[in-house]
Amino acid sequence: MKLLIQLFITTLLISISFVSLAQLSDDFSDGDFSSNPTWTGDITKYVVTGSGRLHSNGPAQSDTAYLATNVGNLDFSNTIVWEFFVQMDLNPSNSNNARIYLVSDNANLKTALNGYFIRIGENGSSDALKFYKQTGTTATLLYSGTGNTFGSSPTASIKVTRTSSGDWTFESDATGGTTYVPEGMINNTDIVASQFFGIWSKYTASNSPNFLYDNFTITANTIVDNTAPIFSDLTIVSSTQLDVSFNEPLESTTAQTITNFSVNNGIGNPTSAVLDGSDPTLIHLTFATAFVDGQTNEITIENIEDLSNNVTPLESHDFLYFVPVTASYKDLVINEIFADPSPQLGLPMGEYIEIYNASTHIFNLTNWTIGDASSDEQIGNYTLMPNQYLLIADDAFSFDYSIYNNAILVASLPSFNNGSDDVVLKDENGTVVDFVSYSSDWYGSSIKADGGYTLELINPTLPCTSSSNWIGSNSPDGGTPAVQNSVYDITLDTYSPTIVNTSTANNATINICFSETIDTVGINSSFFTLNNGISVLSYTFDDLLECVELITAQGLDTGIVYTVTVNGLSDCSGNAMSNATTSVMLPHLGKKGDLIINEILFNPFPEGQDFIEIYNNSSKNIDLLNWQLASVAGDTVSSKKVISSHYLLKAFEYVVITKDSNNIKEFYGNAVDGKFIEMSSLPSYSDGAGTVVLLLPNQQVSDSVVYDDSFQFALLKETNGVSLERLAFNRPSNDETNWHSASELVGFATPTIKNSQYTVSEEATTELMVEPEIFSPDNDGFEDVLTLSYKMDASGYVGNITIFDAQGRTIRQLMQNELLGIDGFISWDGLNNNREKARIGAYIIYFEYFDLDGNVHALKKACVVAGKF
């Protein structure tokens, strides 16, 4: 296995160079290619013939053979001229062709390089000269010649000229002489660096000796190298082997002198130093003493020369040797999530993910990935030490995040959703090392959830975690990138999981959710028991290991309360549940009027959220799955929003529907946890007036309320944040006198609990009843409203109700010529016709009703408006 390293390199470079005229000229008249100049590569596959030509001479097998020579750093700011001779004693094809590399930044022409080459030979009998650009291992055709053709047994001399402006001119002589014929010209300036010239022969077995080359010349200015070779990289190959790389080809004697290299910690000089045969920038070092796992070493290098005899000064570089291990689940943990940078606080505007090495092992993250629910991105070469943090951000924010020491920038960090998303960390084998599925309610604050803050892990040492182990950052900057979290707390978990929610999906399926992640190793169906003769057939945990689905062997009966006992189930810290119980019931089907609208906050505080409170006005237990909230546009029920999760609303209990339960709890401290349903959006409810509609799953209207801001208590100076409360469950929803502002003493709203203005409106046993006879309309929640109930002997009466003061003056007209039912209610809020508070004192309620025959009846009742002195 190839081992991985971390390098800590600081190098000061002083570069001094000048330009001189140089010329490559090799006609092989000296009988070899080993010097003046020296050619490297597949030297056993070429010979120089007696006639003084370079001749391919590989084994009789299909192969590719190359030779290259160092021509120095060509000066592309001046004109460069290449000339050469090539002969192929064969019919060229895609299997038999030659390349002449005019430009290459690598001596090994079989590997990735950047350069240009001339190709002779393709399928067909009339091949043209071809000019290619090679980038890495990809060759791109730039130009095909229009002059001589090189088909059967081509013999040619070729001349190529490049000007300082990047104009390439091609000429050839198909007889092998120097009477050149123009081929054409193109312009290309993509590559302007080169050090090597070479040939490349591809042949089938019978054609291995049929390539001849001669008369290579390059006339050009070269940039004379006066800069010492620069150390560029170090790779640990094994516990006793290092590969050391430099930025340019090296002189072989100094590169292979073992005393020029030394490693501390008692390791010393290598036993061998070998310059790579294909890559003259690479040295292979072998040591007698093995490196110690997990130890940082220092290698010292000196006296290494390049081909221009420039000598490296004494320099040292640290490297960390470690034996890679396979990461276990949560060896590395997702520790901080910055998914919503706006509005900006003290952090940059770019998203980031922070991971933490919670293990005692060292990990190199090459080929590891970080991702979301839909995509992932490779992290790159980074070695993460135990107890070390790493910030991962998109390289589009390199200016912002490069200031952090422990940071790595990736090409395309997935964009994480503000509200909820998955964050997945995988190792090089694609195995999940950590997984988090977060949501905005994890922040524990509507302000932090609105943006600019990170989600921070509280205890990174827990073997498995849940939403209870995450919260919004307490840092004034909004987060703690690459350092310990502001909420860090490794207090030992000594608490057992608790049951937080139970529901039924059908008569054989029970869902139970817990307060934290469950350790599922070793459990079985016997951990769950039910009463009434019901047994558990099977169980399945969700992906987060926080909820379990139980399948029962027998069906549940509607309306029967069953007790589920959970025993022995443990969290990941080993805290076991002991006979924890919860009740479960197969819910009744609701019908119209079972659930009613009980409280409406349509005009919240500026930073607040709307809410609708629903009350179960029946003796049934009803599952709210697929019930809907809606509004009215014109005469049409519209903007329907579906409740998409189970919620069992028990008989005579309350539930609040809102976008953000934390927001409601912040503003109204009397709210009860667990009695909320969150929706991603509510129907649009105007601050002035509107209609709230509650629909059953079958689209039937269960209840609706037409509200108006004028329903609020008129003496309130401000109605922002003040809810409208229903006075009585048994009175009509659209009786405006059945609605009143929530009391100031309870904070102007009572989400999830009994209304502050709740009254028991008893049906009248006589023609007119008054309750209470003494009331104090001061919005303190105690006897703020007087309720009149009437009972007629027949239907069809028309009624008037007028309030008079002690002097007989009309104070308030409550009812005027309204058709009465057999019985009914109407309320007086203690205000006069001018919407002013009536004075403290006694008042007469005059109730007059008459039928169509002109029979008139009149009643008088007394009441008292009280107040505080």
Side-chain angles (χ1 to χ4, degrees), residues 441 444-446 601 608-611 656 658 660-678 749 751-752:
D441 60 3
S445 162
S446 60
L601 180 64
Q609 296 286 341
D610 291 356
F611 75 74
V656 167
T658 184
D660 188 344
S661 60
N662 288 327
N663 178 275
I664 302 302
K665 287 182 283 188
E666 280 185 21
F667 284 107
Y668 309 104
N670 50 22
V672 178
D673 283 334
K675 292 191 175 184
F676 285 90
I677 296 175
E678 287 193 347
T752 74

Side-chain angles (χ1 to χ4, degrees), residues 606-634:
E607 300 298 326
Q609 296 286 341
D610 291 356
F611 75 74
I612 305 297
E613 183 183 74
I614 306 300
Y615 176 70
N616 187 345
N617 197 32
S618 75
S619 59
K620 303 174 184 177
N621 298 292
I622 299 172
D623 189 352
L624 296 186
L625 179 68
N626 294 325
W627 284 65
Q628 300 171 49
L629 276 182
S631 58
V632 172

Side-chain angles (χ1 to χ4, degrees), residues 413-594:
L413 184 71
S415 178
F416 296 95
N417 298 328
N418 296 347
S420 63
D421 209 340
D422 296 339
V423 186
V424 187
L425 177 67
K426 298 178 184 179
D427 68 11
E428 69 276 14
N429 299 314
T431 302
V432 174
V433 178
D434 196 16
F435 172 86
V436 175
S437 184
Y438 67 86
S439 67
S440 58
D441 60 3
W442 287 19
Y443 288 93
S445 162
S446 60
I447 295 175
K448 292 179 181 180
D450 193 45
Y453 288 86
T454 68
L455 277 173
E456 292 187 348
L457 189 64
I458 298 170
N459 187 347
T461 67
L462 290 180
C464 54
T465 56
S466 62
S467 58
S468 62
N469 201 31
W470 289 84
I471 199 167
S473 175
N474 288 332
S475 169
D477 289 335
T480 53
V483 296
Q484 188 180 91
N485 288 344
S486 63
V487 299
Y488 177 82
D489 183 359
I490 58 172
T491 302
L492 184 65
D493 176 17
T494 59
Y495 297 98
S496 301
T498 59
I499 298 171
V500 296
N501 187 36
T502 308
S503 63
T504 55
N506 51 55
N507 70 342
T509 305
I510 300 171
N511 295 298
I512 305 174
C513 291
F514 303 94
S515 59
E516 55 183 316
T517 305
I518 300 301
D519 184 358
T520 59
V521 176
I523 71 171
N524 55 60
S525 297
S526 67
F527 283 57
F528 311 96
T529 58
L530 280 83
N531 65 343
N532 294 339
I534 305 296
S535 58
V536 176
L537 184 65
S538 64
Y539 69 92
T540 305
F541 275 88
D542 67 351
D543 291 339
L544 296 178
L545 304 180
E546 293 180 355
C547 296
V548 64
E549 180 184 83
L550 305 181
I551 304 298
T552 62
Q554 300 82 21
L556 306 180
D557 290 332
T558 302
I560 302 297
V561 178
Y562 297 89
T563 299
V564 182
T565 302
V566 182
N567 187 42
L569 211 61
S570 299
D571 62 18
C572 292
S573 296
N575 302 304
M577 302 175 69
S578 178
N579 293 321
T581 60
T582 183
S583 297
V584 65
M585 176 187 296
L586 186 63
H588 300 86
L589 293 176
K591 64 180 181 63
K592 181 178 181 179
D594 283 345

